[in-house]
Amino acid sequence: MADGTIFEERGLQAVALVTDSFHNTARSMARVRGFPDYRYAAVSNPIGSLDAQGIKQRARQALPQVLEILGITDIRGLEER
Amino acid sequence: MAGQPDYNSNDGSNSSDGELTTEDLRRARRAIEHCFESGWTDGLPVVPPIEEFVNEFLSHTRRDPSQVLCTAPHLQRDCTVRDAAACAVMAGCKPEYFPTFIAAVEAFASIGPVMSQSTTGRAFPILINGPVRTRLGINCTHNIFGPGDRANATIGRALRLMLLNIFNVRPHDLDQSTHGTPAKIYLCFGENEEESPWQPMHVDHGFARDASTVMIQQARSTLHIDHRTSQVPEELLYTMARSMSYAGHLTASASAGGRILQTDGGFHKNLACIVVLGPEHAGHIARGGWSKQDIVGFLYKHWGSTAGELRRCGGSLEEISSLPEDAFIPAAAMPESIKVVVAGANNAGESTLLLGYGPCAGPIAIEEA
């Protein structure tokens, strides 16, 4: 979250990704960094123990959130690999 | 309780002889409750940090109260000398402990408050060397990791209160610890220099023996070593090396997820351990002709695991998957990741491991006012 807000401060669009075990920390860190309404993407916990298939599932979970936060509505040309 | 003052015999009227009245104690309790309600505590009562008390602590240092001792840019918070004094008051320190706590905060600054937010729930053991130990009554012998000694408890606790109150690293919030450890409440001890067969830690680092210093490392917890049936250095130290290598500490470091396999040695760049030898173990090892450097070399060589064992525990680094079953992989990147100190009572074959992450911060010299 700190990195995401630092990018934003420097004018770079960024989306912070957290697992849903870290909502409290994410919100606190955003508030501490001066972005109380900072939006971020959350995926299910855990991550570290997943295999490649599990990671792909988390990516599917994250992608619509990331696109929405970035304001991207036209995803033509993007295809799932 | 033996020796307990009989406050109940006082009716609460003003006392002319300096004795506490029942009404004084009621007010003190209300002040303590106010601190709880304000969210300033670690779950235990604190001394209210009123300006008079804070100024009394500040009189024990030449530092400017506004000097920043420790900073956390990502949290946009700093700890000044005055902030540190408030935390020392709250923890129950005596004012004369304050220069030692300043040194502890300065040592901690080089580790950085960010490490206090880890899910690992790290403690920050404070090691104190030099004459300040006797001057402040810092326990170096019996029960060094247990309760009962004000200097150990309150200097260590002040560091945690700084994290809670100045950096706002609180559980359920910016402190993401999964379990934490009781060592997070406080962990501060002195080296038992008087019963050590070797020169003390701060002298190893180039300080004069009569200097007083503070050193800090990150540790997951204390791990107890009990071996009373051998006086053979290799047997005692091999027991410690295997205890340092327990699966729950090493497997995570040997798994995918950003860990770095050192091409020239260990599989985690930051694994570190303070080996706290009890004086009895230290005596056996020294009588065998071993120096601290010899100990470090031996422990480094045997601290680690075989590729087969790591694989059975789920260690998933690609580099491990291609190694033979019995290929031994040292845990630490370098021997300097291991520090040896002597502390505790000279009454049994016991030692303690403070396993965690390095590098050590300090030693930092304690400046007396």
Side-chain angles (χ1 to χ4, degrees):
Chain A
M1 290 297 289
D3 293 339
T5 58
I6 289 168
F7 279 131
E8 295 287 352
E9 281 173 337
R10 296 182 184 184
L12 295 170
Q13 275 197 307
V15 178
L17 277 170
V18 304
T19 62
D20 55 13
S21 301
F22 292 94
H23 279 303
N24 283 352
T25 311
R27 284 192 285 263
S28 292
M29 184 58 81
R31 178 175 38 76
V32 164
R33 299 281 316 158
F35 294 80
D37 301 318
Y38 189 73
R39 296 183 65 200
Y40 58 90
V43 298
S44 307
N45 199 59
I47 289 286
S49 56
L50 296 179
D51 58 13
Q53 193 57 36
I55 291 291
K56 206 166 187 177
Q57 185 276 332
R58 295 293 192 273
R60 284 197 198 96
Q61 201 180 357
L63 187 60
Q65 302 175 64
V66 172
L67 293 173
E68 199 219 330
I69 293 169
L70 292 176
I72 297 172
T73 53
D74 183 357
I75 58 170
R76 280 176 298 177
L78 295 176
E79 58 184 39
E80 190 175 324
R81 293 165 187 246
Chain B
M1 287 186 288
Q4 185 183 27
D6 182 11
Y7 298 120
N8 293 323
S9 64
N10 195 316
D11 65 2
S13 59
N14 286 335
S15 170
S16 58
D17 57 6
E19 293 280 323
L20 288 171
T21 67
T22 302
E23 187 54 34
D24 288 334
L25 296 173
R26 287 188 187 119
R27 287 178 175 163
R29 188 181 181 193
R30 284 202 295 274
I32 289 168
E33 288 300 326
H34 173 73
C35 294
F36 275 118
E37 289 157 13
S38 301
W40 297 339
T41 86
D42 52 4
L44 297 169
V46 296
V47 176
I50 65 172
E51 191 166 3
E52 176 188 330
F53 299 164
V54 172
N55 287 338
E56 186 184 359
F57 277 55
L58 290 172
S59 73
H60 284 257
T61 179
R62 291 189 297 269
R63 302 293 187 97
D64 183 330
S66 64
Q67 181 192 343
V68 172
L69 294 173
C70 181
T71 187
H74 72 295
L75 298 175
Q76 299 183 322
R77 299 262 178 137
D78 298 323
C79 178
T80 65
V81 172
R82 180 177 291 282
D83 294 331
C87 295
V89 169
M90 293 169 79
C93 289
K94 290 182 179 179
E96 56 265 37
Y97 301 170
F98 189 44
T100 301
F101 181 55
I102 287 177
V105 175
E106 289 190 312
F108 176 78
S110 69
I111 295 173
V114 68
M115 302 318 300
S116 63
Q117 294 179 249
S118 166
T119 51
T120 321
R122 300 172 189 191
F124 298 96
I126 300 172
L127 169 67
I128 300 176
N129 276 104
V132 74
R133 296 166 305 123
T134 44
R135 196 159 62 246
L136 301 185
I138 291 164
N139 183 20
C140 313
T141 59
H142 300 74
N143 196 42
I144 43 165
F145 299 121
D149 291 281
R150 180 173 179 177
N152 301 52
T154 60
I155 293 170
R157 186 189 185 203
L159 194 71
R160 181 56 52 182
L161 287 171
M162 176 190 74
L163 281 164
L164 290 165
N165 288 305
I166 308 303
F167 292 107
N168 209 25
V169 178
R170 296 180 171 282
H172 313 290
D173 200 46
L174 293 177
D175 182 338
Q176 305 169 103
S177 302
T178 306
H179 285 162
T181 162
K184 286 177 71 175
I185 301 171
Y186 66 83
L187 206 176
C188 174
F189 66 106
E191 183 162 16
N192 187 345
E193 299 177 20
E194 291 71 18
E195 294 186 279
S196 172
W198 305 290
Q199 66 182 19
M201 175 70 81
H202 66 310
V203 178
D204 289 343
H205 285 261
F207 285 86
R209 194 162 188 125
D210 62 357
S212 293
T213 65
V214 169
M215 184 177 247
I216 288 185
Q217 184 160 303
Q218 305 165 55
R220 292 183 171 203
S221 60
T222 61
L223 185 66
H224 189 71
I225 307 295
D226 192 329
H227 196 339
R228 308 172 190 225
T229 54
S230 173
Q231 298 189 5
V232 179
E234 289 86 348
E235 292 174 357
L236 296 172
L237 291 169
Y238 192 70
T239 301
M240 292 178 203
R242 298 318 306 144
S243 304
M244 290 162 71
S245 308
Y246 75 91
H249 189 53
L250 294 191
T251 304
S253 304
S255 302
R259 302 304 189 194
I260 298 170
L261 182 70
Q262 300 291 305
T263 52
D264 58 348
F267 50 74
H268 193 301
K269 62 178 181 177
N270 289 331
L271 281 183
C273 184
I274 298 178
V275 180
V276 184
L277 293 177
E280 186 173 310
H281 279 164
H284 295 328
I285 295 165
R287 279 189 292 278
W290 290 55
S291 67
K292 279 206 270 188
Q293 275 187 320
D294 296 333
I295 295 170
V296 165
F298 182 94
L299 293 174
Y300 175 69
K301 183 179 170 191
H302 294 283
W303 182 17
S305 190
T306 62
E309 187 65 15
L310 290 169
R311 283 197 290 265
R312 277 187 287 283
C313 291
S316 54
L317 274 181
E318 193 178 336
E319 293 88 336
I320 292 171
S321 66
S322 58
L323 292 173
E325 179 80 1
D326 60 351
F328 187 83
I329 308 167
M334 53 192 171
E336 292 74 19
S337 304
I338 301 167
K339 303 286 183 196
V340 177
V341 299
V342 177
N346 190 11
N347 62 3
E350 306 203 23
S351 293
T352 292
L353 303 175
L354 302 175
L355 279 159
Y357 302 92
C360 272
I364 297 274
I366 298 169
E367 295 171 13
E368 297 295 340

